[in-house]
């Protein structure tokens, strides 16, 4: 390997890939049963970027040559940048050698579209195939599916990859038309449906025959860019909800738009990345997936945008004060999960612990409940509790005043969940 | 107040518990190590580790705890956290004194403290699984030096053996001066003699491509950063500074 050449390629092709925020390596159960290299199971973050994002996978493009001209993308054909392309073998060597040193959980390979969809997809599949068959690599592989590639290639990709993803990029069809006129939303949705069917079918086979091959065991994900087009949070979250429900997506990623281009269809270059909004969307997404919230409880016609000052669970609680206070010693787990300041782990601990005796404030605090928020919504084994008939707005002000440092400084923090 | 001094082993700790019950002790201190002369003047019991007595306590625990809780208890003791033996004993006594299984009674301070310690150990274990960086030596062994906050090296073996079945590796705890060596078949405990080389710098025995991949990794790390999103506080929370000197990308 020529060190200088490969270093340059890596710099270009990692740089171009970094705007895809997905870096998850969990959800697969690939074991190391062939005395080969690696396994995929636990999803470890091996390091963190200086902006605090998890680095779990070697995330690169095979090439940043692209025939398309999507306005939001650094690799678009009209952009005057350095182009590079890895060979299949180079990607394989990098993956294996990084993996053996415990730098990464595996590979996330994407690509600009050179020539056509099938040609590009075929190369991506070839990398995965080589890793799996020639190198007995059992680490995590995430392949980007190229919209418009043939079913045959998609199927082959699923046999080697742990996860496949097609990025919707823009939450609405109209937005996509504006910024990526060559792209067709149907080309993105169709393969999601195809892959979903294949995954279901293979899972059923696997239940019948243990030896049946795995097919994308970590499922599908997608990404939407937030803030490049003027969608409301309601539109964004309804889109997510639709894709979670219709295609069993494992994750939807929200990527605050980083201005990279001067284009009058896009926010100006100096616009700051909407990181708080992105964080709130992730929190809302968690509420839908782990806290039993329905999308229309989080956003609706009256509240099309998430409150940037407070998290969406607190917002919901303040709009639904009639539900509270609840008694922590008797309420259902589902209801406890809805209390601001109580996360999934604390909620489960409460339900276990109260079997042994009624819990008081001190114990709740020790269990990990954020009382400064929760205290307005619960009662426990104590005669002291919030008796004033406070309005939602008053509670919000109290909480904000108390946790000022956290919330206001939080404006740059990504993904701080409840 | 009675001080019990034991040898630091789990059996020793269980024997100490036996003595606590035997002598009906209420207020105790527990210490590891040798019986110091100064201690002669205090109310001190030197615990002689005794498999039979330890076994009785163990049986009592096994009757009231799930297998998982037993494992956690053992791991917590092995981790060797400063000043926590007294809480471990408190936990054991609470379990033995209770009729039902109390391992989920988080309203109790000892049960909760044990859960917290388990969480700290898990976190440290996960950090090591994440932050270990192997360097390839000339004999094809992948070597890594670590300094975990707690004694968790034995907990790491399974993960790395499952993952790196087809390469020899060493993970060395420099603070406690012992390591795991996987020889392609099984894991051995080893102690290295560092009188001649600095343990965290085995650069002279690297393979040729070691520096290539270290450099590529450093490059990669810098390329994926998005300056417009810079957030040093979050970064530091994820990777506390004390781990940096073992991270290739941070050196
Ligand atoms: S097709 Fe993909 S790589 Fe090409 S310009 Fe559009 S988003 Fe960028």
């Amino acid at each position: 390997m020529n060190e200088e050449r490969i270093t340059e390629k890596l710099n270009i092709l990692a740089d171009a890939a970094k705007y895809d925020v997905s870096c998850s390596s969990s959800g697969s159960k690939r074991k190391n049963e062939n005395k080969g290299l690696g396994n995929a199971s636990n999803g470890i973050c091996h390091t963190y970027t200086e902006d605090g994002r998890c680095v779990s996978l070697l995330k690169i493009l095979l090439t940043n040559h692209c025939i398309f001209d999507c306005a939001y993308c650094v690799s678009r054909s009209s952009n005057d940048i350095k182009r590079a392309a890895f060979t299949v073998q180079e990607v394989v060597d990098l993956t294996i050698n990084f993996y053996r040193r415990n730098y990464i959980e595996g590979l996330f390979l994407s690509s600009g579209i050179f020539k056509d969809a099938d040609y590009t997809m075929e190369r991506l599949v070839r990398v995965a195939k080589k890793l799996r068959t020639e190198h007995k690599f059992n680490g995590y592989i995430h392949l980007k599916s190229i919209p418009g590639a043939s079913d045959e290639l998609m199927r082959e990709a699923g046999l080697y990859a742990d996860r496949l993803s097609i990025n919707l990029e823009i939450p609405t069809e109209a937005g996509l038309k504006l910024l990526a006129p060559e792209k067709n939303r149907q080309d993105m949705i169709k393969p999601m449906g195809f892959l979903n069917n294949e995954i279901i079918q293979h899972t059923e086979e696997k239940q019948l025959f243990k030896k049946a091959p795995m097919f994308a065991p970590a499922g599908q994900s997608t990404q939407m860019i937030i803030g490049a087009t003027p969608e409301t949070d309601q539109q964004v979250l309804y889109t997510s909800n639709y894709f979670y429900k219709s295609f069993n997506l494992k994750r939807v990623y929200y990527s605050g738009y980083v201005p990279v281009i001067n284009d009058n269809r896009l926010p100006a270059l100096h616009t700051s990345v909407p990181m708080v909004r992105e964080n709130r969307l992730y929190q809302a997404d968690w509420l839908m997936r782990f806290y039993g919230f329905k999308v229309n409880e989080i956003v609706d016609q009256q509240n099309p945008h998430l409150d940037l000052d407070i998290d969406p669970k607190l917002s919901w609680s303040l709009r639904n004060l009639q539900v509270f206070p609840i008694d922590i010693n008797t309420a259902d787990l589902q209801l406890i999960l809805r209390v601001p300041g109580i996360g999934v782990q604390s909620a489960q601990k409460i339900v276990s612990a109260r079997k042994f005796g009624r819990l008081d404030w001190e114990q709740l605090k020790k269990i990990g409940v954020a009382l400064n928020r929760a205290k307005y919504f619960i009662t426990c084994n104590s005669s002291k509790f919030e008796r004033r008939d406070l309005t939602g707005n008053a509670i919000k002000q109290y909480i904000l005043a108390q946790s000022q440092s956290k919330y206001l400084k939080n404006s740059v923090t990504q993904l701080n969940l409840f | 107040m009675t001080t019990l001094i034991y040898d630091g082993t789990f059996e020793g700790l269980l024997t100490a518990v036996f003595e606590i019950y035997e002598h009906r002790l209420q207020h105790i201190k527990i210490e590891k190590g040798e019986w110091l002369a100064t201690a002669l003047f205090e109310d001190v019991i030197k615990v002689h580790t005794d498999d039979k007595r330890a076994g009785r306590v163990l049986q009592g625990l096994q009757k009231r705890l799930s297998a998982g809780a037993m494992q956690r208890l053992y791991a917590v003791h092995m981790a060797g956290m400063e000043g926590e033996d007294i809480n471990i004993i408190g936990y054991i006594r609470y379990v033995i004194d209770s009729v039902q299984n109390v391992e989920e009674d988080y309203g109790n301070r000892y049960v909760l403290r044990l859960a917290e310690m388990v969480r700290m150990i898990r976190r440290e274990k996960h950090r090591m699984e994440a932050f270990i960086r192997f360097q390839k030596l000339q004999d094809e062994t992948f070597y890594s030096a670590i300094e975990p906050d707690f004694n968790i090296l034995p907990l790491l073996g399974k993960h790395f053996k499952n993952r790196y079945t087809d390469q020899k590796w060493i993970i060395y705890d420099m603070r406690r001066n012992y390591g795991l060596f996987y020889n392609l078949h099984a894991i051995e405990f080893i102690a290295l003699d560092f009188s001649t080389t600095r343990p965290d710098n085995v650069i002279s025995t690297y393979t040729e491509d070691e520096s290539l991949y270290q450099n590529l990794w450093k490059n990669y790390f810098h390329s994926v950063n998005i300056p417009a999103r810079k957030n040093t506080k979050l970064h530091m929370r994820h990777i506390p500074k004390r781990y940096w000197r073992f991270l290739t990308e941070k050196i």
Side-chain angles (χ1 to χ4, degrees):
Chain A
M1 240 188 228
N2 176 329
E3 178 154 4
E4 225 170 279
R5 187 76 197 99
I6 195 83
T7 305
E8 192 192 7
K9 282 191 194 181
L10 182 61
N11 290 351
I12 294 172
L13 295 169
D15 187 84
K18 72 186 176 190
Y19 299 98
D20 199 313
V21 291
S22 151
C23 200
S24 163
S25 56
S26 52
S28 185
K29 288 194 200 79
R30 199 176 294 275
K31 296 212 175 76
N32 189 352
E33 279 168 342
N34 52 0
K35 270 244 154 203
L37 172 62
N39 52 9
S41 53
N42 11 26
I44 299 169
C45 289
H46 283 277
T47 190
Y48 292 83
T49 59
E50 276 159 33
D51 48 271
R53 282 171 308 135
C54 160
V55 178
S56 170
L57 302 170
L58 169 62
K59 189 178 355 178
I60 47 177
L61 300 188
L62 191 57
T63 177
N64 64 341
H65 289 284
C66 192
I67 54 172
F68 282 6
D69 201 36
C70 310
Y72 48 81
C73 176
V74 271
S75 303
R76 73 193 188 285
S77 57
S78 64
N79 202 13
D80 182 20
I81 48 160
K82 261 200 171 164
R83 307 275 167 174
F86 279 125
T87 64
V88 169
Q89 190 60 45
E90 282 168 342
V91 176
V92 168
D93 287 342
L94 274 175
T95 307
I96 296 284
N97 277 288
F98 278 11
Y99 195 90
R100 286 200 184 281
R101 287 167 177 77
N102 205 42
Y103 298 163
I104 53 170
E105 289 295 286
L107 173 69
F108 178 176
L109 189 61
S110 175
S111 184
I113 299 172
F114 49 108
K115 267 174 97 169
D116 58 43
D118 270 356
Y119 190 86
T120 310
M121 191 72 203
E122 193 267 331
R123 291 295 158 93
L124 299 184
V125 171
R126 223 195 294 163
V127 171
K129 182 175 182 179
K130 196 160 193 167
L131 280 167
R132 291 279 190 240
T133 54
E134 285 176 33
H135 294 267
K136 288 201 203 168
F137 179 71
N138 303 307
Y140 195 89
I141 299 180
H142 178 162
L143 290 186
K144 189 68 84 53
S145 326
I146 306 297
S150 72
D151 287 355
E152 221 15 78
L153 279 170
M154 291 282 180
R155 187 175 292 127
E156 217 188 335
L159 291 176
Y160 300 121
D162 294 286
R163 169 166 288 180
L164 297 166
S165 66
I166 297 173
N167 286 354
L168 289 170
E169 302 294 14
I170 306 298
T172 57
E173 190 153 7
L176 188 73
K177 271 239 155 61
L178 177 72
L179 295 182
E182 299 138 311
K183 275 193 178 161
N184 177 347
R185 194 158 166 113
Q186 276 316 309
D187 277 353
M188 303 173 171
I189 295 177
K190 213 188 96 227
M192 283 193 203
F194 173 76
L195 290 170
N196 187 33
N197 287 339
E198 290 283 317
I199 290 171
I200 292 171
Q201 195 186 321
H202 278 81
T203 315
E204 281 167 3
E205 277 172 26
K206 191 101 187 128
Q207 279 158 358
L208 290 176
F209 315 104
K210 261 200 107 98
K211 284 249 140 48
M214 285 201 275
F215 190 92
Q220 303 189 68
S221 65
T222 192
Q223 167 174 296
M224 290 188 272
I225 299 171
I226 303 307
T229 38
E231 283 90 6
T232 62
D233 292 336
Q234 188 190 8
Q235 283 173 301
V236 173
L237 289 170
Y238 271 70
T239 302
S240 303
N241 187 54
Y242 170 75
F243 281 92
Y244 277 131
K245 293 262 147 69
S246 313
F247 303 109
N248 291 309
L249 290 196
K250 283 284 157 50
R251 286 292 298 272
V252 174
Y253 291 91
Y254 309 92
S255 170
Y257 175 66
V258 181
V260 281
I261 301 122
N262 236 337
D263 183 316
N264 57 16
R265 289 170 294 175
L266 285 165
L269 265 185
H270 57 267
T271 318
S272 63
V273 185
M275 285 166 53
V276 182
R277 183 178 176 205
E278 181 189 288
N279 185 16
R280 296 288 176 235
L281 283 167
Y282 276 113
Q283 291 177 321
D285 189 275
W286 278 56
L287 291 183
M288 297 197 289
R289 289 188 299 135
F290 302 120
Y291 288 77
F293 280 81
K294 294 210 185 67
V295 64
N296 58 7
E297 293 180 291
I298 303 168
V299 277
D300 56 26
Q301 286 303 339
Q302 281 76 49
N303 307 280
H305 279 289
L306 298 170
D307 190 334
L308 292 183
D309 290 335
I310 54 172
D311 68 70
K313 186 153 95 175
L314 182 55
S315 285
W316 174 84
S317 306
L318 296 177
R319 289 199 303 270
N320 293 278
L321 283 176
Q322 75 283 357
V323 177
F324 302 103
I326 64 160
D327 180 352
I328 225 68
N329 287 304
T330 56
D332 283 349
L333 176 64
Q334 282 308 317
L335 206 50
I336 294 179
L337 282 170
R338 291 188 167 230
V339 177
I342 301 184
V344 175
Q345 281 191 6
S346 308
Q348 279 161 352
K349 275 221 171 88
I350 289 170
V351 173
S352 298
R354 70 187 184 188
K355 289 186 215 138
F356 299 90
R358 295 167 55 78
L359 303 171
D360 59 27
W361 293 115
E362 195 49 40
Q363 288 165 321
L364 288 175
K365 191 172 158 193
K366 284 219 177 111
I367 281 173
V369 174
L371 289 184
N372 63 334
R373 270 177 291 162
K375 68 178 176 197
Y376 300 99
F377 305 97
I378 55 176
T379 61
C380 61
N381 191 24
S382 161
S383 56
K384 275 188 269 164
F385 59 91
E386 183 57 65
R387 287 169 200 278
R388 286 172 295 174
D389 204 4
L390 296 172
T391 62
N393 218 347
I395 296 176
K396 177 174 166 179
Q397 292 317 320
Y398 282 131
I399 290 178
L400 278 178
Q402 260 202 1
S403 46
Q404 214 175 50
S405 58
K406 189 173 161 210
Y407 277 104
L408 297 184
K409 278 187 201 143
N410 201 15
S411 56
V412 289
T413 305
Q414 187 206 18
L415 253 188
N416 186 359
L417 291 157
F418 313 119
Chain B
M1 176 76 72
T2 311
T3 303
L4 295 120
I5 299 182
Y6 82 113
D7 62 1
T9 64
F10 192 57
E11 288 74 21
L13 189 84
L14 295 180
T15 310
V17 173
F18 189 93
E19 307 229 355
I20 290 168
Y21 279 96
E22 190 178 53
H23 302 293
R24 297 175 196 281
L25 302 177
Q26 279 308 323
H27 301 288
I28 56 142
K29 280 206 300 202
I30 177 102
E31 271 164 35
K32 280 186 203 108
E34 295 302 303
W35 194 4
L36 301 172
T38 51
L40 274 173
F41 300 101
E42 295 168 29
D43 191 2
V44 169
I45 295 179
K46 184 173 186 203
V47 178
H48 298 277
T49 301
D50 178 319
D51 284 352
K52 255 216 198 110
R53 295 177 152 207
R56 294 252 317 264
V57 178
L58 192 67
Q59 266 179 7
L61 287 171
Q62 279 165 338
K63 243 189 267 162
R64 293 172 182 84
L65 290 177
S66 70
M70 284 303 298
Q71 273 172 19
R72 290 193 288 275
L73 176 63
Y74 183 74
V76 161
H77 178 259
M78 185 184 67
M81 290 180 190
E82 202 65 47
E84 294 290 351
D85 279 349
I86 192 73
N87 289 324
I88 297 175
I89 287 181
Y91 176 84
I92 294 176
R93 290 175 75 171
Y94 183 59
V95 169
I96 289 179
D97 292 344
S98 305
V99 192
Q100 51 174 340
N101 179 330
V102 290
E103 67 191 63
E104 290 190 332
D105 182 4
Y106 301 110
N108 176 275
R109 54 184 276 233
Y110 295 115
V111 177
L112 191 67
R113 182 64 194 152
L114 204 91
E116 280 165 5
M117 288 193 273
V118 168
R119 197 153 12 120
M120 287 159 80
I121 291 167
R122 285 219 179 107
R123 188 189 330 135
E124 191 68 0
K125 173 176 177 278
H126 286 152
R127 275 186 173 146
M128 290 304 134
E129 287 169 0
F131 297 159
I132 275 176
R133 298 287 179 264
F134 287 117
Q135 306 177 344
K136 192 177 174 189
L137 308 181
Q138 269 162 12
D139 73 343
E140 305 264 296
T141 302
F142 287 76
Y143 173 82
S144 169
I146 59 174
E147 270 187 357
D149 290 351
F150 319 119
N151 181 31
I152 47 104
L153 193 57
L155 302 178
L156 296 176
K158 193 170 154 219
H159 170 81
F160 284 96
K161 185 174 173 233
N162 285 342
R163 176 160 290 200
Y164 299 111
T165 320
D166 69 342
Q167 71 191 42
K168 286 185 287 179
W169 49 259
I170 292 172
I171 302 171
Y172 206 79
D173 182 339
M174 308 229 296
R175 187 173 293 173
R176 295 165 190 85
N177 200 26
Y178 77 107
L180 301 180
F181 171 50
Y182 172 69
N183 59 16
L184 294 180
H185 304 287
I187 296 174
E188 301 165 23
F189 285 96
I190 54 164
L192 298 177
D193 179 10
F194 289 122
S195 49
T196 45
T197 43
R198 266 173 46 83
D200 51 347
N201 182 6
V202 282
I203 215 154
S204 52
T205 52
Y206 280 170
T207 53
E208 255 171 62
D209 60 3
E210 181 54 34
S211 72
L212 166 69
Y213 285 108
Q214 287 194 15
N215 286 334
L216 286 170
W217 174 242
K218 280 186 213 177
N219 262 294
Y220 176 72
F221 180 72
H222 291 297
S223 304
V224 292
N225 186 38
I226 301 180
R229 303 181 58 116
K230 191 172 168 77
N231 186 345
T232 312
K233 233 174 92 187
L234 189 62
H235 176 68
M236 301 278 280
R237 197 168 72 215
H238 285 309
I239 323 181
K241 254 209 159 120
R242 63 181 184 281
Y243 297 98
W244 286 20
R245 69 194 193 91
F246 295 105
L247 292 175
T248 313
E249 66 274 18
K250 282 287 184 190
I251 298 168

